């Protein structure tokens, strides 16, 4: 709990809800006749509405990117170290919008919402949403807020995929794209990790084919396992060695199958914490959106052709020890952008944080992000 | 952030910019803070990318609004297609790469023309230093000790021209400047002896 809100925090924020009545035809062909998007905003929109930044969240993120929702919060939003007054995404200069994507479980329409056609929760019947569907719904939110063109769209991991999608789906509506620790599409290894996670959930007896709400259960065991696997792939071997080594919880071997090593109890803790806050159907959906993402598929699988419509300036960032979305994957995007003659800068940050590094406070990472964002702000302010 | 002027440009860069055509595309190897690319963009409508590995310089280049990509020149220019760039520039980095000869080939594979600058190890002061002191030469241009210098492949103007000849690389123009990057009539007379920085404009085009 923050006894006092720090000076460089956006402070107390209240989420808002945008109700959209315009039907959304999804990539799958199914239609959402109406939906809600929950979002937070930080900073102030300028008179010409040109200083808006959209933050796209990753697999388990939500609309609460910065600040506190109440004085009882144990910690701030998920990207608080990068968003706030004087921080890389400076809320004294930008108007920042963060939302919970469709299919999420933090207030936007998703599997736990009531299906207006049946009066019951969607559960497993909630349509599988694709990255392009999120971008379409984000564009509706932009219209609602009166934002014709984002000064930048920013995201890491699955969030970075949304940024890429913005650049080709609405090239006129995005001036700058920041794509962190992402990839042009998942590798077979990545899809395989997602499938193991999904199977852990699906095979939990409490899952009931996704109808657990009707049965009054939650597939806690499956969700815990899925998160343990996911979390493990977000860390680097070095970081795990430094953090846990082979340390034992009780200082000695007990010759039992209960968790004995510190790393085991850490993963159990992370998994269990997640299983009580996150919806299993949402986890299934989000990993599917990751697996399906491949914007080049519509362009003869040619990433250069795919990105040739983009008009924005790009910043790509990767991290040396990220093996889930390795630097080589970011470099694929960079190379395609250069071949397509687009404005692009790229930095590969030395970090032992693995994939999770995109959420961490790394001085060089934040310096690069600040340099790119400050230049955007300087130009906007010079035009004003 | 402030616009660049010809007067504020480092003198060797001021020479180089004259050799670059307006509206062309440039790849700057070891672009530093992106000063040359920023100047070319503002004054000659040149589009381009810089490659750099120094973290602080990459951040500075991004702040200058230059397209900068983190890439080690020792890995070559594998991600660029043949003849995809008008001019590939490399200032003061040739002597610091593992295989200058291979990188030179790479520059002229990717680029129609190349511009290279390097410290001339045949300068009279360098020759005297080694001859009189019997120690590896150090100077304003070459300030490092033999064991910690990034300049692992130093050469003289004559060495470089011999390499170009071997590789059938045509020298379009060349100039040498002193350590303050100034040209002088005496340097033009005895470039291999008096020039501290050599500046070459190259092509494989016949």
């Amino acid at each position: 709990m923050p006894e006092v809100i720090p000076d460089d925090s956006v402070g107390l924020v209240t989420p808002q809800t945008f109700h959209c009545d315009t039907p959304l035809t999804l990539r799958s062909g199914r239609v959402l006749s109406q939906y809600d998007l929950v979002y937070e905003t930080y900073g102030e929109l300028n008179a010409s509405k040109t200083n808006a930044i959209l933050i796209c969240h990753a697999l388990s993120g939500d609309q609460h990117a910065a600040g506190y929702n109440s004085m009882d919060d144990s910690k701030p939003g998920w990207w608080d170290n990068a968003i706030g007054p004087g921080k890389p995404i400076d809320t004294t200069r930008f108007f920042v919008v963060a939302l919970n994507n469709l299919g999420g479980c933090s207030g936007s329409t998703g599997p736990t919402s009531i299906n207006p056609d049946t009066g019951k929760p969607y559960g497993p019947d909630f349509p599988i949403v694709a990255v392009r569907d999120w971008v379409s719904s984000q564009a509706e939110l932009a219209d609602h807020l009166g934002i014709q063109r984002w000064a930048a769209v920013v995201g890491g991991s699955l969030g970075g995929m949304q940024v890429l999608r913005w650049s080709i789906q609405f090239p006129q509506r995005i001036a700058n794209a920041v794509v962190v620790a992402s990839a042009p599409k998942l590798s077979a290894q990545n899809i395989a990790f997602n499938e193991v996670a999904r199977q852990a959930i699906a095979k939990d007896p409490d899952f009931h084919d996704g109808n657990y709400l009707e049965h009054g259960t939650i597939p806690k065991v499956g969700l815990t396992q899925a998160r343990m696997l996911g979390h493990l792939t977000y860390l680097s071997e070095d970081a795990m060695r430094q953090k846990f080594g082979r340390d034992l919880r009780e200082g000695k071997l007990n010759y039992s199958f209960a968790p004995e090593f510190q790393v085991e109890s850490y993963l159990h803790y992370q998994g269990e914490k997640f299983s009580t806050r996150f919806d299993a159907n949402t986890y299934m959906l989000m990993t599917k959106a990751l697996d399906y993402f491949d914007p080049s598929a519509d362009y003869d699988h040619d990433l250069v052709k795919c990105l040739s419509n983009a008009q924005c300036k790009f910043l790509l960032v990767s991290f040396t020890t990220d093996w889930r979305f390795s630097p080589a994957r970011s470099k694929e995007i960079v190379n395609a952008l250069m071949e397509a003659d687009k404005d692009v800068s790229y930095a590969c940050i030395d970090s032992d944080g693995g994939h999770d590094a995109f959420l961490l406070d790394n001085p060089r990472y934040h310096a690069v992000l600040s340099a790119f964002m400050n230049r955007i702000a300087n130009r906007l302010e010079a035009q004003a | 952030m402030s616009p660049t002027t010809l007067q504020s440009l480092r003198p060797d860069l001021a020479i180089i910019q004259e050799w670059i055509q307006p509206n062309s595309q440039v790849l700057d190897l070891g672009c530093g803070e992106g000063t040359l690319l920023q100047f070319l963009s503002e004054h000659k409508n040149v589009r381009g990318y810089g490659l750099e590995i120094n973290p602080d310089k990459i951040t500075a280049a991004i702040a200058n609004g230059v397209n900068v990509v983190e890439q080690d020149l020792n890995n070559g220019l594998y991600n660029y297609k043949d003849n995809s760039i008008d001019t590939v520039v490399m200032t003061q980095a040739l002597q610091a790469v593992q295989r200058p000869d291979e990188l030179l080939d790479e520059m002229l594979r990717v680029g129609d023309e190349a511009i290279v600058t390097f410290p001339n190890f045949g300068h009279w002061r360098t020759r005297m230093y080694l001859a009189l002191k019997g120690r590896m030469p150090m100077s304003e241009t070459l300030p490092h000790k033999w064991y910690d210098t990034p300049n692992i492949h130093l050469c003289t103007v004559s060495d470089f021209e011999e390499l170009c000849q071997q590789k059938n690389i045509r020298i379009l123009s060349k100039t040498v400047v002193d350590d303050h990057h100034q040209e002088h009539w005496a340097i033009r007379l005895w470039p291999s002896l008096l020039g501290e920085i050599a500046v070459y404009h190259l092509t494989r085009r016949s």
Side-chain angles (χ1 to χ4, degrees):
Chain A
M1 165 184 4
E3 287 191 359
V4 235
I5 303 263
D7 286 344
D8 63 353
S9 168
V10 298
L12 281 175
V13 282
T14 308
Q16 294 164 269
T17 302
F18 160 54
H19 179 75
C20 186
D21 276 324
T22 313
L24 179 64
T25 304
L26 304 169
R27 184 187 177 187
S28 64
R30 289 183 65 183
V31 178
L32 273 180
S33 56
Q34 52 175 305
Y35 56 88
D36 285 343
L37 292 177
V38 171
Y39 64 99
E40 291 184 359
T41 71
Y42 323 110
E44 281 181 33
L45 189 59
N46 64 12
S48 49
K49 301 187 174 183
T50 53
N51 69 332
I53 307 287
L54 175 67
I55 306 292
C56 300
H57 70 72
L59 184 62
S60 59
D62 55 26
Q63 71 279 3
H64 187 40
Y68 300 86
N69 288 148
S70 100
M71 292 304 280
D72 297 331
D73 287 358
S74 60
K75 46 179 197 174
W78 57 268
W79 211 14
D80 192 79
N81 60 34
I83 303 169
K87 290 179 182 172
I89 300 169
D90 189 340
T91 50
T92 63
R93 308 179 84 182
F94 291 116
F95 175 67
V96 180
V97 179
L99 80 159
N100 183 215
N101 279 328
L102 275 180
C105 53
S106 296
S108 292
T109 300
T112 56
S113 311
I114 301 295
N115 180 346
D117 296 339
T118 64
K120 291 196 292 186
Y122 280 101
D125 192 40
F126 192 85
I128 289 188
V129 280
V131 170
R132 72 183 67 181
D133 303 328
W134 287 336
V135 169
S136 300
S137 65
Q138 290 160 2
E140 294 284 346
L141 176 61
D143 290 342
H144 169 70
L145 296 170
I147 296 158
Q148 181 48 42
R149 189 169 183 246
W150 298 102
V153 182
V154 182
S157 192
L158 177 56
M161 292 174 168
Q162 293 158 57
V163 181
L164 271 186
R165 190 71 221 177
W166 261 100
S167 74
I168 56 178
Q169 194 167 332
F170 295 107
Q172 323 274 355
R173 302 195 67 176
I174 164 173
N176 293 277
V178 180
V179 179
V180 184
S182 196
K185 60 186 173 206
L186 287 197
S187 65
Q189 188 192 45
N190 259 322
I191 294 172
F193 278 125
N194 285 343
E195 177 59 5
V196 176
R198 281 191 295 265
Q199 284 303 310
I201 294 169
K203 295 284 157 56
D204 184 327
D206 284 336
F207 185 62
H208 298 290
D209 292 327
N211 295 300
Y212 43 88
L213 292 180
E214 283 178 34
H215 288 78
T217 60
I218 51 166
K220 201 165 176 295
V221 173
L223 203 48
T224 301
Q225 283 176 25
R227 185 57 171 181
M228 282 169 73
L229 173 73
H231 196 87
L232 160 64
T233 67
Y234 304 148
L235 303 174
S236 74
E237 193 185 357
D238 276 354
M240 290 182 80
R241 186 183 296 124
Q242 279 168 30
K243 195 165 182 178
F244 310 107
R246 293 177 51 84
D247 294 352
L248 294 164
R249 295 174 66 192
E250 296 175 18
K252 63 179 176 62
L253 296 175
N254 287 327
Y255 301 97
S256 82
F257 293 111
E260 292 186 85
F261 291 93
Q262 288 292 7
V263 65
E264 293 172 310
S265 51
Y266 170 80
L267 279 182
H268 280 277
Y269 170 76
Q270 289 295 335
E272 274 161 32
K273 192 174 69 169
F274 185 75
S275 72
T276 55
R277 80 165 176 92
F278 210 79
D279 178 62
N281 283 322
T282 290
Y283 199 86
M284 304 284 269
L285 280 175
M286 295 279 171
T287 55
K288 271 289 173 188
L290 269 165
D291 292 359
Y292 285 173
F293 181 74
D294 179 8
S296 72
D298 295 338
Y299 300 83
D300 307 323
H301 296 276
D302 182 342
L303 190 58
V304 178
K305 211 192 279 182
C306 167
L307 291 166
S308 63
N309 288 331
Q311 294 177 10
C312 56
K313 273 169 120 39
F314 288 84
L315 172 68
L316 277 98
V317 179
S318 68
F319 301 92
T320 49
T321 55
D322 183 353
W323 55 280
R324 190 87 197 251
F325 290 80
S326 71
R329 305 309 311 280
S330 289
K331 200 67 192 289
E332 281 175 44
I333 302 171
V334 173
N335 290 342
L337 285 168
M338 287 196 289
E339 200 176 326
D341 201 20
K342 304 298 170 189
D343 286 321
V344 55
S345 286
Y346 167 65
C348 178
I349 310 293
D350 208 353
S351 160
D352 68 2
H355 185 53
D356 263 350
F358 86 89
L359 295 167
L360 304 177
D361 185 2
N362 172 306
R364 186 184 167 209
Y365 169 34
H366 279 190
V368 164
L369 195 55
S370 295
F372 192 76
M373 298 307 294
N374 284 337
R375 179 156 175 102
I376 298 170
N378 291 342
R379 304 201 106 183
L380 285 172
E381 286 158 21
Q383 283 161 10
Chain B
M1 189 63 201
S2 57
T4 52
T5 61
L6 188 57
Q7 288 72 31
S8 68
L9 212 56
R10 215 173 69 198
D12 61 331
L13 300 184
I15 295 168
I16 290 170
Q17 65 84 23
E18 286 179 32
W19 293 342
I20 292 170
Q21 296 301 314
N23 310 313
S24 64
Q25 195 165 38
V26 166
L27 182 64
D28 187 355
L29 311 185
C31 70
E33 300 185 355
T35 318
L36 178 66
L37 285 171
Q38 195 187 355
F39 178 88
L40 291 171
S41 158
E42 287 169 2
H43 297 267
K44 292 197 150 185
N45 193 34
V46 162
R47 281 190 49 77
Y49 302 98
L51 305 186
E52 182 55 64
I53 49 166
N54 179 302
D56 294 335
K57 287 180 178 168
I58 290 170
T59 304
I62 291 172
N64 286 331
V66 166
N67 292 322
V68 59
V69 168
E70 182 158 343
Q71 183 166 328
D72 187 345
L73 300 180
N74 288 319
N75 297 332
L77 305 176
Y78 65 92
N79 46 342
Y80 292 90
K81 291 190 168 164
D82 295 1
N83 300 311
S84 55
I85 304 276
D86 295 312
T87 310
V88 182
V89 177
M90 181 163 62
T91 60
Q92 303 283 57
L94 185 77
Q95 74 284 354
V97 297
Q98 278 163 19
R99 288 297 297 266
D101 55 334
E102 289 176 1
L103 189 54
L104 207 54
D105 282 334
E106 276 287 84
M107 290 174 76
L108 287 167
R109 174 185 67 76
V110 168
D112 183 41
E113 295 177 358
I115 297 171
V116 173
T117 82
F118 58 88
N120 172 27
F121 208 60
H123 185 264
W124 70 268
R125 227 179 288 148
T126 319
R127 297 186 195 203
M128 292 295 282
Y129 196 109
L130 183 61
L132 295 179
K133 295 194 181 180
R135 310 272 301 266
M136 274 303 278
M138 288 171 63
S139 66
E140 218 174 298
T141 319
L142 299 168
H144 300 90
K145 300 259 196 231
W146 66 271
Y147 48 82
D148 65 1
T149 180
N151 304 319
I152 54 177
H153 287 298
L154 288 160
C155 69
T156 69
V157 164
S158 311
D159 289 330
F160 184 75
E161 292 190 7
E162 190 188 67
L163 180 67
C164 290
Q165 202 179 8
Q166 273 174 25
K167 288 185 172 291
N168 289 319
I169 293 171
R170 202 153 61 88
I171 297 171
L172 291 170
S173 44
K174 61 177 174 179
T175 185
V176 281
V177 292
D178 66 16
D179 59 358
H180 299 293
H181 303 271
Q182 305 291 337
E183 270 187 290
H184 187 268
W185 64 269
I187 301 179
R188 253 174 273 150
L189 271 181
W190 297 289
S192 69
L193 212 55
L194 297 180
E196 269 199 298
I197 310 278
V199 189
Y200 281 84
H201 189 190
L202 311 164
T203 189
R204 271 231 169 84
R205 214 175 41 223
S206 47

